Amino acid sequence: MRPVSERTGAWELLVEVELRRGHMRRSLRDALRLAIQDGRLAAHTVLPSSRRLASELGVSRGVVTDAYDQLVSEGYLEVRQRFAPEVAAGVGTTPAATESVTPAPRFDLDAVTPDVRLFPRRAWIRAVEQALRNAPDSALDYGDHAGRVELRTALSGYLARVRGVRIDASRIVVTQGFTQALDLLCRVLVARSATTMAMETPSHPGLWATVRRSGLELIGCPVDADGLQTRELAERRADAVVVAPAHQFPTGAVLAPARRAALVDWAATHERLIVEDDYDAEFRYDRRPVGAVQGLDPGRVAHVGSASKTLAPGVRLGWISAPPDLVDELREHKSAADSGSPAIDQLAFADLLSRGDYERHVVRARHVYRRRRDRLVGTLQSRLPGLQVRGAAAGMALLLMLPEDADDVEIADAARSRGVGVGALSLLHLTPAPERGLLLGYGRLHESSIEPAVGALATVVQTFVSKASSAS
């Protein structure tokens, strides 16, 4: 029989067949034909040899040989000398598996995606090889659902040095990205009888869905140039809040020192939880790094980070630096969700962190994004000089503000029809707000594409803004 590595092989074949005396050949033939027609036996599946199948079914080899010969003559099977038969191409009903991909616009200004072409493939390959060579057999078994101790140890050192997080490895829970981290935290809160979660507005709608699916009521808390309005937060009576103090999405605001203190005081006074979304703090350009709020009160802040922006979303690695009283419950919910994140990937990431390869990659990526940011800001100021640019000091996106009477959703739709993918600010608000703007990401926008992208966008914006001005 042809090796299974070359073809899909049916070394074991489940065929529902009633082998009646005098009708065994017909019964087997009909059962095989039906299995091919309804897709249970897909094209190019290699069937067992006549000797093997006869033994499994408890019939003579001639019964199987006759059935195979008949299906060959009908075009259902193909045979070659000294090889077992295989299902012919073009028969059956099972379509080939394809990857579902949404066509990207000509100029992709998605604000939440990094340039995955920058992924350090060679360093990652070395790290995976190192992990496979050095990992004990136990690493391939079910282990601590909180994550591999090697990664949690490497993260505790990195986060303390780079983000000012006060944490030890025993209180880190490894997750599959930020979304799972938020989901786990929400589930713990619900189990503790919490009912409401506050979140910055504007913010990412994907996070809204995660909170709502957990059963928590979502409450919007406004953001201004100094970040989350903590005075408003005190009036919301929420059990917890999700906040991005280092770089708010999408405004780019940094939480002011007085408000950082007020946020921590709110959590301590009312015994509430702060979920700190530290999604892209490594990418800063025009300001000094800002430490994590978690360092002010490790007992009230769950600091959440991931490798989605720094490495690639497909890596699916994130982490929670949890308050002590939440660790066991988070581990239990993580166990129920997936029994733990992939061990080899965790070990590879730990190797990148330990060797400094991760930080070297971040520095290289930061230089790339800064060049793109500088060129995008300069081109916007040249082509659309009457519009304000906000949130460009860090991250991989900025806001192009529009007049309040402009319809940013209509403008974003029109831009996409011209091949420019942008987001509308108004769709990111949990509560009604007068501000209108376009969210422009430069994570995936190559420098050579910035000028033509802005040129196409400027044509659309100027048309709509002129119409709005004339109508008023």
Side-chain angles (χ1 to χ4, degrees):
M1 187 179 298
R2 193 175 309 181
V4 174
S5 60
E6 296 181 13
R7 295 289 189 182
T8 300
W11 291 95
E12 294 185 358
L13 181 63
L14 177 62
V15 178
E16 296 178 3
V17 55
E18 181 181 355
L19 297 176
R20 293 177 295 168
R21 184 176 299 275
H23 299 280
M24 289 187 291
R25 287 169 172 79
R26 180 187 302 174
S27 300
L28 179 58
R29 182 180 64 241
D30 291 346
L32 290 171
R33 184 190 296 112
L34 180 61
I36 294 171
Q37 289 174 341
D38 67 15
R40 284 180 290 130
L41 289 177
H44 303 300
T45 297
V46 179
L47 300 186
S49 67
S50 57
R51 187 186 305 277
R52 178 185 292 273
L53 185 55
S55 175
E56 290 176 356
L57 296 178
V59 300
S60 70
R61 186 179 179 188
V63 169
V64 178
T65 301
D66 288 350
Y68 279 173
D69 289 344
Q70 180 62 33
L71 293 174
V72 169
S73 67
E74 294 176 6
Y76 286 98
L77 298 180
E78 296 176 344
V79 293
R80 292 193 302 160
Q81 189 174 7
R82 296 196 304 274
F83 285 93
E86 66 180 52
V87 179
V91 299
T93 60
T94 304
T98 57
E99 183 178 7
S100 176
V101 178
T102 302
R106 180 186 176 195
F107 302 113
D108 186 0
L109 279 76
D110 189 312
V112 297
T113 52
D115 190 343
V116 294
R117 294 171 297 183
L118 299 178
F119 183 78
R121 292 175 184 262
R122 292 183 179 178
W124 184 258
I125 290 171
R126 288 195 301 269
V128 169
E129 291 178 343
Q130 185 78 6
L132 289 171
R133 280 195 299 268
N134 297 338
D137 291 342
S138 60
L140 302 177
D141 203 345
Y142 293 106
D144 189 338
H145 298 148
R148 292 295 306 176
V149 67
E150 296 90 341
L151 177 56
R152 291 187 284 121
T153 300
L155 280 170
S156 64
Y158 173 79
L159 294 172
R161 178 168 49 83
V162 175
R163 300 297 303 124
V165 172
R166 294 158 56 192
I167 198 71
D168 59 70
S170 64
R171 286 171 37 210
I172 293 178
V173 177
V174 178
T175 67
Q176 297 197 47
F178 179 86
T179 301
Q180 186 184 59
L182 179 59
D183 179 68
L184 295 176
L185 287 163
C186 288
R187 292 180 184 279
V188 169
L189 288 168
V190 169
R192 291 184 168 202
S193 301
T195 59
T196 57
M197 172 78 83
M199 188 173 290
E200 297 166 316
T201 181
S203 53
H204 195 298
L207 306 186
W208 309 348
T210 299
V211 172
R212 287 167 173 158
R213 277 196 300 268
S214 72
L216 292 171
E217 178 187 358
L218 187 60
I219 302 173
C221 191
V223 171
D224 60 22
D226 289 327
L228 181 75
Q229 296 183 24
T230 48
R231 182 176 300 177
E232 296 285 336
L233 176 63
E235 299 175 1
R236 296 304 195 268
R237 297 184 179 180
D239 296 298
V241 60
V242 180
V243 58
H247 185 229
Q248 202 275 334
F249 178 89
T251 67
V254 178
L255 193 63
R259 292 191 182 177
R260 291 163 67 93
L263 178 64
V264 172
D265 181 68
W266 167 82
T269 301
H270 301 283
E271 297 186 351
R272 298 296 188 252
L273 177 68
I274 300 168
V275 179
E276 182 173 12
D277 181 3
D278 208 19
Y279 69 103
D280 71 351
E282 289 91 343
F283 298 130
R284 57 191 182 277
Y285 314 119
D286 302 327
R287 59 172 172 79
R288 295 175 60 84
V290 179
V293 168
Q294 190 268 2
L296 300 177
D297 190 350
R300 294 291 177 188
V301 182
H303 177 271
V304 183
S306 82
S308 295
K309 301 296 186 292
T310 51
L311 288 178
V315 173
R316 305 313 305 142
L317 281 174
W319 51 88
I320 306 171
S321 299
D325 64 319
L326 297 186
V327 175
D328 289 342
E329 292 169 80
L330 286 169
R331 181 184 281 109
E332 291 175 5
H333 283 281
K334 173 65 175 174
S335 173
D338 57 18
S339 297
S341 298
I344 299 301
D345 289 348
Q346 293 184 64
L347 293 172
F349 188 34
D351 187 73
L352 287 185
L353 286 166
S354 300
R355 292 175 179 269
D357 288 338
Y358 177 72
E359 289 181 70
R360 282 188 286 272
H361 164 71
V362 168
V363 170
R364 287 193 295 268
R366 185 187 301 149
H367 290 323
V368 171
Y369 294 140
R370 178 166 192 160
R371 289 196 302 269
R372 294 178 185 177
R373 189 283 309 259
D374 291 345
R375 191 162 184 173
L376 179 58
V377 170
T379 307
L380 287 170
Q381 291 173 341
S382 174
R383 295 301 301 270
L384 294 166
L387 301 180
Q388 181 186 11
V389 173
R390 292 185 187 172
M396 291 176 285
L398 53 79
L399 277 174
L400 179 68
M401 303 308 298
L402 300 172
E404 291 184 4
D405 55 354
D407 187 335
D408 55 0
V409 176
E410 188 176 11
I411 293 174
D413 289 343
R416 181 167 289 275
S417 70
R418 296 281 189 98
V420 184
V422 296
L425 174 60
S426 61
L427 297 179
L428 306 181
H429 279 278
L430 275 162
T431 55
E435 289 189 322
R436 297 292 180 266
L438 298 177
L439 187 59
L440 313 182
Y442 46 87
R444 294 190 177 183
L445 192 63
H446 192 273
E447 289 178 59
S448 63
S449 298
I450 291 176
E451 291 183 2
V454 173
L457 178 63
T459 300
V460 174
V461 171
Q462 288 166 343
T463 299
F464 279 86
V465 171
S466 297
K467 287 181 180 179
S469 299
S470 300
S472 60

